[in-house]
Amino acid sequence: MSTRFPIRFDWKDLELILALAETGSIAAAAERNHLVPSAVSKRLSDLEKQFGAALVERHARGVRLTPAGEALRSRAGHLLDQARHVQDELHDYASGMTGHVRLFANISAIVEFLPRALVAFRELYPGIRVELQEQVSADVAQAVQAGVADLGIVSELPHLPALTFTPFRQDELQLVVPAGHPLATRTHLAFIEALDYPLVGLHANSTLHERLTREAARVGHDLRPLVQVTSFDAVCAMVAAGLGVGVVPRGATTPYVQSLGLVGLTLTDHWAQRQLCLCTRAGETGSPAAQKLFAHLRQTSDV
């Protein structure tokens, strides 16, 4: 049985550790946290005595975190995020809300499937606030695993045994090209055939960009988009302007494709048919509000 020690540090201590890591200076950390440098030094000294380990090393240009300090820093951001989430939830309850759910999802789910689902959920449960954040699938899964998100929606399934994945929706990728483009007369093609033309892509951290980069590398091609943007409608606009071709979800972009006069081509690659999944922590039911949202999304799914 492990020995538990009383907790003798507070949120301000964690904020100071983050500030020291980012600025490398006691004076700068003090200014950021509206303290005098001597108060920062005193807090730091008290922490080191409590933990029995040095947290910073002093050098001519300032300070750097020790391995123990880095360990504390790696946890500090998550703990502060959790504290802010708790504060937000309690404020919601104080204002008359009956629940709070943190939902993280990739851009495909947010654009294509969640608007109607969340409007319907709000009508059913007006007292539950859904806090929605866009993240790439890998970050969604990590947030759910860490407890930062109550529920996630992903299109790529990471190997995390602490999570459970439940089928949610089917998501089909297509290639969009301008009318008059050499490929515009085609109806089906493999992604490799599009690599001969300039590509308009999403930002480098997106799940779709990572997928296309992997598939291009698999056939010996170095994927270098001519233009990278942050949304599917922007991809379509850039394609319509003649800057290249793009890969986008069919359901999320059909209105843009039609209004801009683009041609959508079916990709024959197996990965173009994507399965979106609800992501939860294995063995945990979640809060009553999270359970209601999970059940609602399952009921509105097409699988």
Side-chain angles (χ1 to χ4, degrees):
M1 182 176 179
S2 62
T3 302
R4 291 184 178 274
F5 298 96
I7 298 174
R8 294 196 179 95
F9 62 88
D10 58 26
W11 303 118
K12 180 62 72 176
D13 293 327
L14 298 182
E15 291 174 343
L16 287 175
I17 290 296
L18 292 177
L20 286 169
E22 292 170 7
T23 66
S25 164
I26 287 179
E31 182 178 359
R32 178 180 295 189
N33 286 274
H34 308 292
L35 296 171
V36 295
S38 60
V40 173
S41 295
K42 178 64 166 60
R43 280 180 172 267
L44 189 57
S45 177
D46 290 344
L47 277 177
E48 291 178 327
K49 288 178 182 177
Q50 177 188 342
F51 296 134
L55 298 176
V56 301
E57 296 174 343
R58 289 169 173 79
H59 55 87
R61 297 182 179 179
V63 296
R64 68 171 65 92
L65 297 186
T66 64
E70 285 291 346
L72 180 57
R73 181 205 58 77
S74 69
R75 300 286 186 179
H78 172 61
L79 290 172
L80 287 168
D81 284 342
Q82 290 289 75
R84 294 185 185 103
H85 286 315
V86 169
Q87 180 173 274
D88 290 342
E89 289 184 34
L90 293 178
H91 284 164
D92 283 345
Y93 286 116
S95 64
M97 303 296 285
T98 60
H100 183 119
V101 185
R102 290 159 298 181
L103 172 64
F104 282 26
N106 64 9
I107 189 172
S108 295
I110 289 176
V111 172
E112 191 168 357
F113 303 118
L114 286 179
R116 290 184 180 180
L118 292 182
V119 167
F121 183 77
R122 184 178 180 85
E123 292 174 353
L124 289 171
Y125 304 103
I128 296 178
R129 184 165 82 91
V130 178
E131 178 186 341
L132 176 63
Q133 289 192 32
E134 179 204 335
Q135 300 284 346
V136 298
S137 289
D139 291 343
V140 170
Q142 290 176 3
V144 173
Q145 182 181 43
V148 175
D150 300 300
L151 181 64
I153 301 178
V154 299
S155 58
E156 303 248 340
L157 307 184
H159 298 291
L160 295 175
L163 300 178
T164 297
F165 299 97
T166 305
F168 173 54
R169 292 292 184 97
Q170 296 288 335
D171 178 37
E172 179 190 0
L173 297 174
Q174 65 172 345
L175 184 78
V176 289
V177 302
H181 189 275
L183 295 176
T185 57
R186 303 279 297 278
T187 57
H188 298 71
L189 81 168
F191 177 61
I192 188 175
E193 298 179 77
L195 294 175
D196 292 331
Y197 301 92
L199 180 73
V200 176
L202 286 181
H203 56 90
N205 292 328
S206 67
T207 301
L208 180 54
H209 176 77
E210 292 174 358
R211 162 62 76 175
L212 297 183
T213 300
R214 288 201 305 271
E215 295 302 324
R218 191 174 58 82
V219 294
H221 191 97
D222 186 14
L223 189 72
R224 293 183 179 178
L226 181 66
V227 179
Q228 288 182 275
V229 293
T230 58
S231 64
F232 293 130
D233 56 329
V235 171
C236 292
M238 294 297 118
V239 172
L243 291 174
V245 301
V247 176
V248 295
R250 187 180 298 275
T253 55
T254 295
Y256 306 114
V257 170
Q258 293 176 343
S259 64
L260 294 171
L262 302 179
V263 178
L265 312 177
T266 298
L267 289 171
T268 57
D269 307 83
H270 69 89
W271 49 264
Q273 300 294 325
R274 302 194 300 178
Q275 175 68 68
L276 271 63
C277 290
L278 299 170
C279 174
T280 56
R281 288 183 291 281
E284 296 185 23
T285 58
S287 67
Q291 291 179 47
K292 287 183 173 64
L293 179 58
F294 178 83
H296 175 76
L297 293 175
R298 282 294 309 277
Q299 291 170 0
T300 59
S301 70
D302 58 6
V303 294

